[in-house]
Each structure stands twice: as C-alpha cells, then as structure tokens.
C-alpha cells in the first residue's frame, strides 16, 4: 500500500467567480499538488504544497492568458501567506509570473525585436512558451518544493537548501559535481604511477608505473623519472588525494558537453546532480535581486583563480546558470533517450530517495538559519 498523503490544508487560494468564464480556484488539496502524479507531495509542509498548487493552477495560466484575472488576488494572498519571508518570495514569484532577479529582454532603438534572454523566456510564461520549457520548469519547481518541504537540514536536502535559500554560504561547501582537481581526475582515469619533481610538479609513468628513463621537467627543468624501475632520489611519489577546495568552481558551460561521469557517478547520475545544482541556484537568483547578488558573490568568489572565468556580475550570473541548465537538460535527455515530458516525470522521485542513498552528505555542515 502506498503511504498516506498528508491532510489537505484548511485554506484555499483563488477567486470564486462564475464557473462559466473563469478557471476553478486553486484549492490546496492533496489531489492538486503539481503536474507529476507519480510523486508524493512533500510531507507536513503547506508552503511546498502551495508552491506546487500555484505552479499547476495559477502559474500555468500564463501560457494561455496574458493576465489571468485571478492572479492579482492570489499574488496579494501570497505576499501575506503565513510562511517565512523566503517562502513567500517564491510563492509570489510564481503566483504573479514575476521574477525580480531576471531582466526582461532589452529592446534596442535600432530594432523593435527584443534581445533574447533565455532565463527570462524560460521562467516568464507566455503563449509562446514551449512544451520543453514547461517540462523543465516542472522539474525546477519540484526541486524548490522539495527544499521547502523538508525541514531537516541533513543529507542531500541540507545541501539543496543552502543552494536555494542560503546561496551565500556555499563558499564553505563541497558542491556536488563541481571539482577543479583535474590532476586527481586524470589519476583515476590513467592509472599507472604518479610522481613529483623536486619542485612539486606532477608527472605520469604509464604501464607498470615504474620509471625506465630520465627526462627533464617541462615546467622547471628539474630531473624526473629514473632508470631500471628506480625513481630518481630527488623525486617523490605523488599523493593521490583529491585537492578540490570548498566553494563553487566556475567552468565554461559550452565545454561541459561530454556524456562522461565524474568520480564514481554514472553519466546520468552526474547530469541529474549537476542539473539540481544549477537549477536551484538559478531559481534562487531569479526570485529576487538580493538573492541574485548572493548567488553571484558565491559563484564568482574564486573566479580570479580560474583561467578564462567570466568577470563577476550579479547580472551575468543568471545567463551563466541558464547556460549550464540548458546544457545539463539537453545532455540528460540524450543520455536517457527520452522526451522532455518523460524526464519531468522521472526526476522528481529521485529527490525523495537521495537522502536514503547518501544520508551523510552534509555531515559537519553548519546549521541553516534562514
């Protein structure tokens, strides 16, 4: 038997106008909690239920109406809902189809055609919104609802909560799928022997891993290698520890198109987690200008240490995150060989089992106080 659903909250949102002209009110019952019928709603969280109900019953109306008549009343209600300030911010954004962290496409005086803004086009629903965009938004909203619906800050839920609600604090996190230790990744792939010259520059000996020749370090000119399986006495065996440091590592989304995994993650698992990371950060940056600034500060905190990283900006961070989300979304569909709609049905249940699979993912992290 499937687990019992939580009781429906004792309040509803919407208007009670004539049924012949207006859509039915969006009642917060357990039978209307989002477009994915295969996912149990977040337990004991009216805010999460509200977000899913708003997505289905109010937000989606913008794909068929420019300004649904119910929106103003629901938007006013969302601003006074009996939840925390951050939760109300998310509810208002989806109730009003208004994301203050995003900028509307700019219209140039030379051309009446707005300059495309992919993040705005994705999240600001209109009659031109595509089914693929709706499916992606469904996944993003279920991510946010999962975070709002889990008060425990342990496991993966704790990491997701920081990405969405307290992005400024991710500088102290080891962000899933975000690594800058290319050396460690090469060690795992190539095997063999790894050594360092007297000045600490790493090099690789293939096959048996024991040196048979001497060479010159291409970085500093010191002697490297050895003879007859005997390492040069001035060289040392390299540590194979992962040297990734906490915080987000900026990388070029265009170059992040391979279908390989990372560490022990399968290609699909890697893409799912990376979509979660960038999707939650994008949602956080979209709902308010203040959150956008926090996301930008966290993401670009180490940008000066990464060659080719874009200059810090609270505005281009949305474009950067949207580029990653698009790449992850396309790669995931290709890897799974399914449609956008199928992905939107398959992904939300993954959120509910991550804490069971890796319960100690956030062990040792500071408590989330937001």
């Amino acid at each position: 038997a499937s687990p019992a659903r939580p009781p429906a909250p004792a309040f509803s949102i919407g208007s009670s106008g004539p049924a012949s002209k207006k859509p039915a009110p969006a009642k917060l019952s357990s039978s209307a909690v989002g477009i994915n019928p295969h996912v149990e709603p977040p337990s004991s969280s009216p805010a999460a239920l509200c977000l899913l109900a708003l997505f289905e019953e109010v937000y989606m109306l913008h794909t068929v109406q420019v300004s649904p008549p119910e929106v103003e009343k629901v938007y006013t209600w969302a601003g006074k809902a009996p939840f925390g300030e951050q939760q109300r911010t998310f509810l208002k954004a989806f109730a009003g189809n208004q994301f203050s962290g995003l900028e509307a496409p700019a219209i140039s005086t030379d051309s009446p055609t707005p300059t495309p803004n992919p993040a705005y086009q994705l999240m600001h629903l209109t009659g031109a919104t595509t089914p693929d965009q709706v499916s992606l938004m469904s996944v993003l909203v279920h991510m946010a609802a999962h975070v709002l619906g889990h008060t425990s800050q342990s496991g993966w839920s704790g990491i997701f909560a920081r990405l969405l609600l307290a992005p400024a604090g991710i500088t102290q996190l080891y962000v899933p799928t975000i690594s800058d230790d290319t050396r460690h990744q090469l060690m795992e792939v190539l095997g063999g022997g790894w050594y360092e010259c007297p000045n600490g520059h790493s090099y690789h000996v293939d096959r048996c891993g024991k040196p048979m020749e001497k060479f010159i370090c291409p970085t500093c000119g010191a002697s490297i290698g050895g003879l007859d399986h005997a390492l040069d006495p001035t060289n040392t065996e390299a540590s194979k520890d992962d040297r990734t440091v906490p915080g987000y590592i900026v990388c070029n989304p265009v170059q992040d198109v391979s279908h390989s995994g990372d560490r022990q993650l399968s290609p699909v698992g890697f893409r799912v987690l990376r979509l979660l990371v960038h999707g939650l950060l994008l949602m956080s940056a979209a709902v308010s200008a203040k959150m956008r600034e926090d996301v930008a500060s966290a993401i670009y905190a180490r940008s000066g240490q990464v060659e080719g990283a874009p200059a810090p900006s609270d505005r281009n961070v949305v474009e950067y995150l949207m580029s990653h989300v698009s790449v992850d979304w396309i790669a995931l569909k290709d890897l799974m060989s399914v449609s956008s709609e199928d992905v939107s049905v398959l992904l939300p249940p993954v959120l509910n089992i991550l804490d069971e699979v890796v319960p100690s993912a956030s062990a040792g992290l500071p408590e989330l106080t937001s």
Side-chain angles (χ1 to χ4, degrees):
S2 60
R5 293 177 180 270
F11 52 90
S12 63
I13 56 177
S15 63
S16 55
S20 58
K21 293 290 184 180
K22 297 182 179 180
K27 296 184 181 297
L28 291 179
S29 66
S30 58
S31 61
V33 292
I35 67 172
N36 192 338
H38 305 287
V39 182
E40 289 294 323
S43 59
S44 65
S45 175
L49 293 173
C50 280
L51 179 59
L52 291 173
L54 285 173
F55 173 76
E56 171 72 359
E57 304 294 341
V58 180
Y59 180 61
M60 289 297 297
L61 291 177
H62 291 276
T63 61
V64 294
Q65 293 178 278
V66 175
S67 182
E70 293 81 6
V71 166
E72 183 176 352
K73 183 177 293 187
V74 176
Y75 183 80
T76 301
W77 172 87
K80 302 177 181 179
F83 308 122
E85 181 62 32
Q86 284 185 313
Q87 295 168 322
R88 288 197 297 269
T89 298
F90 279 91
L91 296 181
K92 286 174 61 179
F94 284 95
N97 196 28
Q98 300 175 15
F99 300 90
S100 59
L102 303 178
E103 293 183 339
I107 300 179
S108 170
T109 55
D110 300 328
S111 172
T113 304
T115 302
N117 182 328
Y120 185 88
Q121 291 175 340
L122 170 68
M123 302 187 74
H124 183 79
L125 299 190
T126 68
T129 298
T130 67
D132 183 74
Q133 290 172 318
V134 170
S135 295
L136 177 52
M137 280 307 303
S138 171
V139 171
L140 296 181
V141 169
H142 276 86
M143 291 180 191
H146 175 85
V147 171
L148 297 181
H150 288 73
T151 56
S152 171
Q153 300 307 316
S154 62
W156 287 99
S157 293
I159 295 176
F160 295 152
R162 287 163 176 80
L163 292 170
L164 183 70
L165 303 175
I170 68 171
T171 56
Q172 304 303 315
L173 294 181
Y174 289 97
V175 182
T177 75
I178 306 299
S179 169
D180 69 339
D181 193 353
T182 306
R183 170 181 167 277
H184 180 263
Q185 294 171 346
L186 287 173
M187 285 180 170
E188 291 192 335
V189 172
L190 297 178
W194 287 84
Y195 307 93
E196 292 181 352
C197 77
N199 296 310
H201 303 125
S202 299
Y203 64 92
H204 174 246
V205 177
D206 63 2
R207 299 189 180 183
C208 72
K210 301 295 184 180
M212 290 292 292
E213 297 177 280
K214 284 194 173 185
F215 292 93
I216 299 299
C217 176
T219 304
C220 67
S223 176
I224 60 174
L227 297 174
D228 299 325
H229 291 175
L231 182 66
D232 186 303
T234 64
N235 289 201
T236 57
E237 188 171 352
S239 169
K240 294 185 178 181
D241 293 339
D242 191 332
R243 297 178 180 178
T244 297
V245 298
Y248 186 92
I249 312 300
V250 174
C251 59
N252 189 339
V254 177
Q255 297 174 352
D256 185 28
V257 294
S258 69
H259 285 181
S260 61
D262 182 63
R263 295 182 172 88
Q264 284 75 46
L265 289 173
S266 68
V268 171
F270 172 77
R271 284 297 169 183
V272 168
L273 282 177
R274 180 154 282 201
L275 178 63
L276 289 172
V277 168
H278 292 121
L280 289 171
L281 287 171
L282 177 63
M283 293 275 283
S284 182
V287 296
S288 76
K290 174 60 171 64
M291 294 290 281
R292 184 186 66 197
E293 294 172 3
D294 289 346
V295 172
S297 296
I299 284 184
Y300 294 120
R302 298 183 61 237
S303 60
Q305 304 173 33
V306 181
E307 183 178 355
S313 168
D314 67 328
R315 294 183 179 180
N316 70 26
V317 71
V318 172
E319 180 181 349
Y320 169 82
L321 290 170
M322 184 65 214
S323 297
H324 267 297
V325 167
S326 297
V327 168
D328 297 332
W329 181 246
I330 293 171
L332 198 53
K333 290 187 293 182
D334 288 345
L335 286 167
M336 298 175 70
S337 299
V338 296
S339 67
S340 300
E341 185 178 0
D342 289 336
V343 176
S344 71
V345 171
L346 293 170
L347 281 192
V350 173
L351 297 170
N352 295 327
I353 66 172
L354 278 176
D355 285 331
E356 299 175 12
V357 176
V358 190
S360 59
S362 65
L365 295 179
E367 285 298 314
L368 180 67
T369 57
S370 300

